Amino acid sequence: MYTIPSEFNDFIAQDCDREAFIQNYLNKAGLEAPVLQMEGKNHIYVKFHQNQYNPIFRIKTVIAHYDRFSGSPGANDNSAAVFSLLEWAVKLSKLAQPLFHNIRLIFTDGEELGAAGGVAEQGAFPLAQVFRRLGITNDDIFVFDCMGRGDVPVLTQTILPKKAASKFVKDFSSLEQRAVSLLQASANGRWFSLPCNYSDNASFIANGIPAVAITMLPSAEVTAATQGAAPQTWQLLHTPGDNLESLTPQSFEIFHNILNNLAALKTLA
């Protein structure tokens, strides 16, 4: 059984400098974590060794926002995902040749701004614009948000723009199918798809780049959601109740399964 480390308490403390925490955690493991400053937001890019990439296969861009709603510990939104990704990054960095993972890992800043101001206000929006400008449009982009509570991985149902190009629709469908296969393999076939609030995937979709978002819910809340009830997990978000006590260690185990299978996933470029 996964035990949430004591460092997690430091990460969700109200006075935590979360940007510095992430960089220090990675630096201690020998990983560089430069800040990408974009329109007043500080995204953190994890630099893995170049020999951990194989150009024959697609890059898998993994994104999780590290900002949190003011006044909330943000234990689930989005500290659980970020902390798990930090642990995973250290593990990936220790892979020896000829093993490779093709993971591009970015912790984004300013995701919460999109809830009030719309997708263009999200911190990830200028990041997605840079991807577009540089021609980085063929990655498999996985956004993880609120992964610390529950036992069922949930793939966000996405409504694509009405005027989306046929290639975008085709590429998004292929990515979504890979996401489904990933979740099935990682949680003993248990997964679900529900309409959810957009996360950083919205910024990429708005810029014509396919991206899927994945979250987690307790099975009872998934069942209730299919009958129209708002999951309690979502009602805790942005409140003081999004705290350590609301989390379930099993969620971390399932999420690590997802991440490990994602690292092993190989799709021809």
Side-chain angles (χ1 to χ4, degrees):
M1 176 67 72
Y2 180 90
T3 300
I4 299 175
S6 59
E7 289 173 289
F8 186 83
N9 287 314
D10 299 329
F11 189 46
I12 64 173
Q14 287 297 324
D15 61 351
C16 178
D17 181 339
R18 290 162 71 85
E19 178 187 328
F21 182 102
I22 292 169
Q23 288 188 298
N24 290 337
Y25 190 103
L26 294 168
N27 291 163
K28 287 178 183 178
L31 282 165
E32 293 182 57
V35 170
L36 308 176
Q37 293 185 329
M38 297 181 182
E39 298 187 9
K41 299 305 173 186
N42 295 333
H43 309 307
I44 303 172
Y45 175 68
V46 183
K47 292 185 69 174
F48 294 108
H49 196 280
Q50 195 58 41
N51 66 13
Q52 294 182 318
Y53 296 87
N54 186 327
I56 295 175
F57 301 100
R58 282 179 183 261
I59 296 292
K60 294 158 287 186
T61 293
V62 175
I63 291 175
H65 74 90
Y66 72 89
D67 61 306
R68 55 182 167 176
F69 195 82
S70 178
S72 173
N76 191 27
D77 184 20
N78 192 29
S79 302
V82 171
F83 198 90
S84 293
L85 287 168
L86 290 173
E87 294 178 311
W88 183 55
V90 173
K91 178 179 179 179
L92 292 180
S93 71
K94 296 177 181 178
L95 289 178
Q97 287 186 290
L99 297 176
F100 60 91
H101 53 70
N102 276 28
I103 296 295
R104 190 199 316 271
L105 178 55
I106 303 173
F107 297 103
T108 60
D109 181 21
E111 188 270 354
E112 298 292 358
L113 296 174
V119 63
E121 297 300 317
Q122 275 189 342
F125 192 82
L127 177 65
Q129 288 180 314
V130 169
F131 270 52
R132 188 73 189 175
R133 187 162 60 248
L134 296 177
I136 306 174
T137 59
N138 199 40
D139 286 16
D140 279 357
I141 300 179
F142 294 85
V143 175
F144 293 104
D145 206 344
C146 302
M147 300 296 293
R149 179 179 161 92
D151 56 343
V152 180
V154 175
L155 179 64
T156 295
Q157 290 179 4
T158 302
I159 299 175
L160 300 181
K162 292 181 179 179
K163 297 182 179 180
S166 59
K167 182 181 184 304
F168 172 83
V169 174
K170 180 180 178 181
D171 290 347
F172 182 87
S173 178
S174 296
L175 173 59
E176 199 169 49
Q177 286 303 310
R178 286 191 286 279
V180 168
S181 297
L182 173 68
L183 299 185
Q184 287 177 327
S186 304
N188 295 319
R190 301 185 70 206
W191 71 282
F192 213 82
S193 183
L194 287 171
C196 307
N197 290 334
Y198 278 97
S199 185
D200 281 331
N201 59 317
S203 289
F204 286 88
I205 290 171
N207 280 281
I209 303 173
V212 293
I214 295 167
T215 187
M216 191 94 73
L217 285 174
S219 54
E221 293 183 20
V222 171
T223 300
T226 63
Q227 300 170 355
Q232 181 185 2
T233 295
W234 295 352
Q235 296 178 49
L236 292 173
L237 303 183
H238 300 177
T239 75
D242 183 10
N243 54 30
L244 178 64
E245 290 71 28
S246 72
L247 303 183
T248 54
Q250 183 185 9
S251 303
F252 289 75
E253 293 183 8
I254 295 171
F255 187 30
H256 276 290
N257 286 342
I258 293 171
L259 294 176
N260 292 335
N261 287 331
L262 180 57
L265 179 65
K266 296 177 176 64
T267 305
L268 291 174

